[in-house]
C-alpha cells in the first residue's frame, strides 16, 4: 500500500523528535530488550506461518489464505514502529523526518484498519465453514477471497489518506512528540491551528470501522454458536469450538487494548498518566503480531504439524 506524499506547510518542522515514554527513562534499557525480543518473535513466527501456508499445497483453504495475509500485515505493523522504538530506547536516536513521521503514521493506522477487516473476513470464513459447510468452497472462491482482501485494503487507504493529508498540512509550533512513534493524536497536539477536524475524523471513522466490524463479527459468532450447539456429536461440537477459540483469542488481543488506547487518548487524558497511555499504544501494536502466530501455531493442528515437519526437515538437512 503506497504511502502518500507530503508537502511541508508554513511552520512545519523538518524533523520531529520522539520522546519515547515520558517518565520511564530509567526503564529504557529493559524496554529496548523486551521490544527486541517481542519483535524477533513476531518476525520469526509470522514468517514461519507465511512460509508454511505458501509451501504446503494442502493449506490452501480460505482460512489459511486469510491467516497468511494477517501474518503479513502483522509484520508490516510491527516493522513500522518497533525498530525506531528500539533505537530510541537503546541509543537515544529520537529524530525522525517530517515525511518519515507521516509515512509511519500512514502505515501504522492503515495496517490496523486492514487487520480489523481481516478479523471480520476470518469470522465470516468460520461462519460459512460451520453453518454452510456444503457450500463452503462455492462461496469462498479464490476470486471472492482476493476481492475481500482488496476491498479491505482500499477501505484502509480511503480512511487514512484524508486523515494524513489534513494533519500534514497543518502548521506546527513544536517538534517534540510525547510518544515513541508518530501516533496521530500525539502529533496533532503539536499543531498551531486547531487539530479538532482531523481528530474528530479519526475518532468517528475508526469508531465506524471498528464498530461495524465488531458488530458483524459478533453476529457471525452468535450464528456459529447456535449451529455448534445444535450438532448431535460432542466431538464435532468440541472441534468447532476449538477452531473458533483461536479466532476469538486473536480478536480479544487486538480489539481490547486497541479500543482502550483510542478512548483513553480522547477521554482519559487527565485521569490516566501519560506513560501509561504511551505504553498502551505501544503494546497494542506489538503484542498481537507477537502472539498471533503462537496462538495459531498451538491451536491449529494442521499448521502445528506442517510447522513441525518443516523445522524437522531443516534441522535434519543441517545435521547431514
Amino acid at each position: 500500500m503506497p504511502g502518500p506524499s507530503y508537502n511541508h506547510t508554513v511552520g512545519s518542522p523538518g524533523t520531529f523528535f520522539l520522546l519515547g515514554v515520558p517518565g520511564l527513562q530509567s526503564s529504557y534499557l529493559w524496554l529496548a530488550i523486551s521490544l527486541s525480543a517481542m519483535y524477533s518473535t513476531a518476525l520469526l513466527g509470522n514468517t514461519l506461518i507465511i512460509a508454511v501456508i505458501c509451501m504446503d499445497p494442502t493449506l490452501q483453504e480460505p482460512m489459511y489464505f486469510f491467516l497468511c495475509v494477517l501474518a503479513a500485515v502483522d509484520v508490516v505493523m510491527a516493522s513500522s514502529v518497533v525498530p525506531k522504538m528500539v533505537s530510541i530506547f537503546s541509543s537515544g536516536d529520537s529524530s525522525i523526518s517530517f515525511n518519515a513521521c507521516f509515512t509511519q503514521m500512514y502505515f501504522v493506522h492503515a495496517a490496523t484498519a486492514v487487520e480489523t477487516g481481516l478479523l471480520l473476513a476470518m469470522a465470516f470464513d468460520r461462519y460459512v465453514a460451520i453453518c454452510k459447510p456444503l457450500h463452503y468452497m462455492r462461496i469462498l472462491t479464490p476470486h471472492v477471497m482476493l476481492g475481500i482482501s482488496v476491498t479491505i485494503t482500499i477501505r484502509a487507504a480511503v480512511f487514512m489518506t484524508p486523515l494524513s493529508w489534513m494533519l500534514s498540512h497543518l502548521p506546527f509550533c513544536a517538534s517534540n512528540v510525547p510518544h515513541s512513534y508518530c501516533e496521530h493524536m500525539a502529533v496533532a497536539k503539536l499543531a498551531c491551528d486547531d487539530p479538532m477536524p482531523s481528530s474528530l475524523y479519526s475518532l468517528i471513522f475508526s469508531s465506524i470501522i471498528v464498530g461495524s466490524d465488531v458488530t458483524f463479527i459478533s453476529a457471525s459468532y452468535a450464528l456459529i454458536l447456535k449451529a455448534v450447539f445444535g450438532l448431535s456429536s460432542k466431538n464435532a461440537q468440541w472441534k468447532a469450538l476449538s477452531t473458533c477459540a483461536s479466532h476469538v483469542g486473536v480478536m480479544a488481543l487486538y480489539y481490547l487494548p486497541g479500543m482502550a488506547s483510542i478512548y483513553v487518548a480522547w477521554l482519559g487524558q487527565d485521569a490516566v498518566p501519560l506513560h501509561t497511555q504511551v505504553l498502551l499504544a505501544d503494546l497494542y501494536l506489538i503484542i498481537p503480531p507477537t502472539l498471533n502466530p503462537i496462538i495459531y501455531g498451538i491451536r491449529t493442528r494442521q499448521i502445528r504439524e506442517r510447522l513441525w515437519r518443516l523445522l524437522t526437515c531443516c534441522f535434519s538437512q543441517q545435521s547431514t
Side-chain angles (χ1 to χ4, degrees):
M1 185 191 306
S5 59
Y6 304 102
N7 294 321
H8 290 239
T9 56
V10 175
S12 294
T15 302
F16 285 110
F17 296 94
L18 300 169
L19 301 184
V21 185
L24 290 184
Q25 286 82 355
S26 60
S27 302
Y28 273 11
L29 179 59
W30 292 110
L31 286 172
I33 294 172
S34 300
L35 285 172
S36 297
M38 295 171 74
Y39 182 55
S40 299
T41 303
L43 282 184
L44 178 61
N46 286 294
T47 301
L48 285 174
I49 292 286
I50 295 170
V52 167
I53 293 175
C54 291
M55 293 170 60
D56 196 320
T58 65
L59 299 179
Q60 301 307 310
E61 295 180 10
M63 179 180 75
Y64 301 112
F65 171 81
F66 291 126
L67 179 55
C68 185
V69 178
L70 179 68
V73 173
D74 279 343
V75 170
V76 172
M77 187 161 67
S79 298
S80 297
V81 294
V82 178
K84 186 60 183 178
M85 289 182 187
V86 172
S87 176
I88 294 170
F89 298 143
S90 61
S91 65
D93 180 16
S94 63
S95 63
I96 183 170
S97 70
F98 183 90
N99 283 342
C101 181
F102 280 93
T103 300
Q104 183 191 62
M105 183 189 301
Y106 184 91
F107 276 97
V108 167
H109 293 298
T112 57
V114 169
E115 182 139 341
T116 181
L118 285 172
L119 294 178
L120 173 58
M122 295 169 77
F124 176 67
D125 165 79
R126 290 300 85 201
Y127 162 74
V128 176
I130 294 173
C131 298
K132 300 182 182 295
L134 298 179
H135 304 285
Y136 183 60
M137 298 308 296
R138 183 174 61 83
I139 294 175
L140 287 172
T141 64
H143 284 93
V144 170
M145 293 187 296
L146 180 61
I148 290 173
S149 301
V150 170
T151 301
I152 290 170
T153 304
I154 292 175
R155 184 184 71 164
V158 168
F159 162 63
M160 269 309 300
T161 301
L163 178 63
S164 298
W165 186 89
M166 283 190 290
L167 187 57
S168 65
H169 282 72
L170 290 174
F172 289 90
C173 295
S175 59
N176 291 333
V177 182
H179 216 290
S180 48
Y181 68 93
C182 288
E183 193 268 338
H184 167 259
M185 291 292 293
V187 176
K189 292 175 183 177
L190 306 182
C192 304
D193 291 347
D194 185 9
M196 186 57 68
S198 70
S199 298
L200 277 177
Y201 176 92
S202 173
L203 181 67
I204 291 171
F205 274 83
S206 60
S207 297
I208 290 173
I209 289 174
V210 173
S212 60
D213 287 352
V214 169
T215 299
F216 286 118
I217 288 171
S218 301
S220 296
Y221 278 100
L223 294 172
I224 288 171
L225 290 175
K226 181 180 178 182
V228 166
F229 289 117
L231 297 173
S232 57
S233 169
K234 294 295 183 182
N235 185 50
Q237 287 183 357
W238 172 252
K239 183 178 179 181
L241 290 174
S242 179
T243 302
C244 293
S246 300
H247 299 284
V248 173
V250 168
M251 290 171 195
L253 280 173
Y254 178 78
Y255 286 118
L256 294 180
M259 296 308 295
S261 175
I262 292 172
Y263 288 106
V264 162
W266 259 90
L267 305 174
Q269 296 183 42
D270 298 328
V272 180
L274 180 58
H275 68 268
T276 302
Q277 297 180 40
V278 174
L279 280 176
L280 188 61
D282 291 349
L283 294 177
Y284 159 59
L285 295 179
I286 186 60
I287 287 181
T290 302
L291 295 184
N292 284 354
I294 297 175
I295 292 173
Y296 282 113
I298 293 174
R299 299 286 302 180
T300 308
R301 179 180 57 82
Q302 293 89 337
I303 291 180
R304 186 171 64 247
E305 291 176 352
R306 299 323 188 270
L307 184 58
W308 178 252
R309 188 185 306 166
L310 176 64
L311 293 175
T312 303
C313 180
C314 291
F315 285 126
S316 63
Q317 287 180 353
Q318 287 182 355
S319 60
T320 56

